[in-house]
Amino acid sequence: MGKPAVRLDELIDQDYRQGFSTMLETDTVPRGLGEDVIRLISAKKNEPEFMLDWRLRAYRHWLTMREPQWSTVRHPPIDYQDISYYSAPKSRGDGPRSLADVDPELLRTYEKLGVPLQERELLAGVAVDAVFDSVSVATTFKDKLAGLGIIFCSFSEAVQEHPELVRQYLGSVVPYSDNYFATLNSAVFSDGSFCYIPPGVRCPMELSTYFRINARNTGQFERTLIIADRGAYVSYLEGCTAPMRDENQLHAAVVELIALDDAQIKYATVQNWYPGDKDGKGGIYNFVTKRGDCRGANSRISWTQVETGSAITWKYPSVILQGDNAVGEFHSVALTNHYQQADTGTKMIHLGRNTKSTIISKGISAGHGHNAYRGLVRVAKSAEGARNYTQCDSLLLGDRCAAHTFPYIEVKNPTARVEHEASTSRIGEDQLFYCQSRGIAAEEAVAMIVNGFCKEVFKELPMEFAVEAQKLLGVSLEGSIA
Amino acid sequence: MLEITNLHVSVDGKEILRGIDLVVQAGEVHAVMGPNGSGKSTLAQVLAGRDSYTVSAGSVRYDGRDLFALSPEERAREGIFLAFQYPVEIPGVANIYLLKAALNAQRQHRGLPELDAVDFLALVRDQLKRVGMDEALLYRPVNQGFSGGEKKRNEILQMAVLQPKLAILDETDSGLDIDALKAVADGIEAMRRPDRAIILVTHYQRLLDYIVPNQVHVLAQGRIARSGGPELARELERRGYAWVEAAAAGTGAAA
Ligand SMILES: Nc1ncnc2c1ncn2[C@@H]1O[C@H](COP(=O)(O)OP(=O)(O)O)[C@@H](O)[C@H]1O
Ligand SMILES: [Mg+2]
């Protein structure tokens, strides 16, 4: 009889706003994987011998491995021979030297994505290394950074210009044999970002990479390597989007962070890869290995992630706390809607004395979304006085979604203190009604409640990113009201 | 302003309101009393648009319009305000943020420009003083960790900021110490105006010592068993609800 008030499940539809694709001439390797393809990639990139060797070792190892089955995510089998492992926009000459050389179509794409590539936006203080499919097309602010001795460039360029650094650190956190997807990445990765902050230097601006998957049927395998030398500091932002495609696309990235004595690295991700449509068709499979190594004493690494995209997210940004007094942090918001699946969390491996780690995980499930937190806290025998605090909260919208928590705790040192708190709540119809009864539209109320739930994580993000993340959650939960 | 006719409401197949008739004019204060479980909150929530209740018969007109044609937020924007018996906690959302979003949603609906932060804060601070609420509560998450009295004052603050046409206060006086009761009563009394109506849901006479209602209604077994002037509340205070309930059961059996 009465006009039905808005139902929660009607609020959680979404449109993917970044779902346009760009017409570009590309240089794409035929589908399939074999040593010949790897040699071809390496040759196209004019790599030194050690890189090709490393790739081939990885590939040969990969052939002996099997796809992991232990996570909660479910997907049809991936045909690795049906993927093209290299795709680059064809550009005039040997690749862009400045913004003027970059394909204007590409620049328009970045504009639509809101990537601040233009000089005037650069004044806002973001240096962007944009990865379009597999080749880095424009790296900005490089000169200013170079003046401080900071190296910030595409991975390919680092291989050419700083092979000694690449050789020293590549695979030193995530070895080529690490896991199925990381090993595949090691064999075929085509580009990514590289960053080195010399001793005692505080990077004066946020460094940023935007990743975007554009070409059809191409997996994207990028690799990021960040080294903060003694006493250095850097804050790094990674943003991702991908156009709408019916077929699923594979993304298997590797990120390695290395912090030496007294160094600090902050790494923040806002990920909104295409999640598939509301019936679960299409979307990115995101199998990513991210690991930081607090190699030096008093070093500090923090991961902050806001994951709203991908059909499947499989990702455990981790910290190895080797140096004494090292600090590792993981702050995460993961949202799954429709048929999205997320199996994400972290690993904190305490090896050094008085090492500390903090884990704050906020999982939001809506629609038929599945959200799992999987976290490992390992305290080795050597980690005298180690401490961990873990807080894992799940928020459910509607009654067809699910949340799971899998905390693994292994403590080998009796002086360690490990605390774990977990909660699951449903967005209350009563919270929603309370806001509505004050005149606030249901959609806005849901966004407000969800953002409130995520507050502890958002406050870890740089200001503009936090605003972006809030909007993103709003969009991801947006829907029609009857 | 409000005209309730033969309202029947059930929840989970159980009929709670069984034919309510009530007319409230602008400028009036009506007290709705009754024992626990008699349906007072149900009535209040149905008027505000809670959808977990099923309206099985009857009608409600508000300012001449069919109330049930409006969503909860539309009702609020049209000037209905419900002070909750149990105010809801919203973790991570600052109290002042909710208040600002609410006021601006309502202003927008009325074609008024949004208030900027400075004007808004001035307005809220002014009302805070009247309610006797600590400013620190503005920056805490909505109702989280508030004491019972703070929650009730917060409801009054919201009402004072939103300036509704029809205010429904569901046991805003319950669980308050005498100072808080006085502050809340003053807050309500200050709202009394010729173009505004107030429905006070209460258990106790004591609130009505501060706010003298135009009419008192006693709810029992889902009906208004008795209506009268302020003296009815005093009689209830003396004799308890039992006699009204017995009378209601009598008429119920006869009907
Ligand atoms: N959501 C609900 N589900 C089931 N029963 C309810 C619900 N809400 C109220 N009731 C029942 O309706 C009756 C009236 O409740 P309520 O309106 O809260 O009374 P009052 O406010 O007068 O104490 C009570 O018997 C209560 O248990
Ligand atoms: Mg009640």
Side-chain angles (χ1 to χ4, degrees), chain B residues 109-120:
Chain B
H109 178 72
R110 289 169 205 146
L112 298 169
E114 293 198 350
L115 280 190
D116 64 32
V118 176
D119 290 346
F120 176 71

Side-chain angles (χ1 to χ4, degrees), chain B residues 40-42 85-86 170-171 201:
Chain B
K40 302 183 298 295
S41 292
T42 301
Q85 181 176 2
Y86 303 109
D170 191 357
E171 296 206 28
V201 174

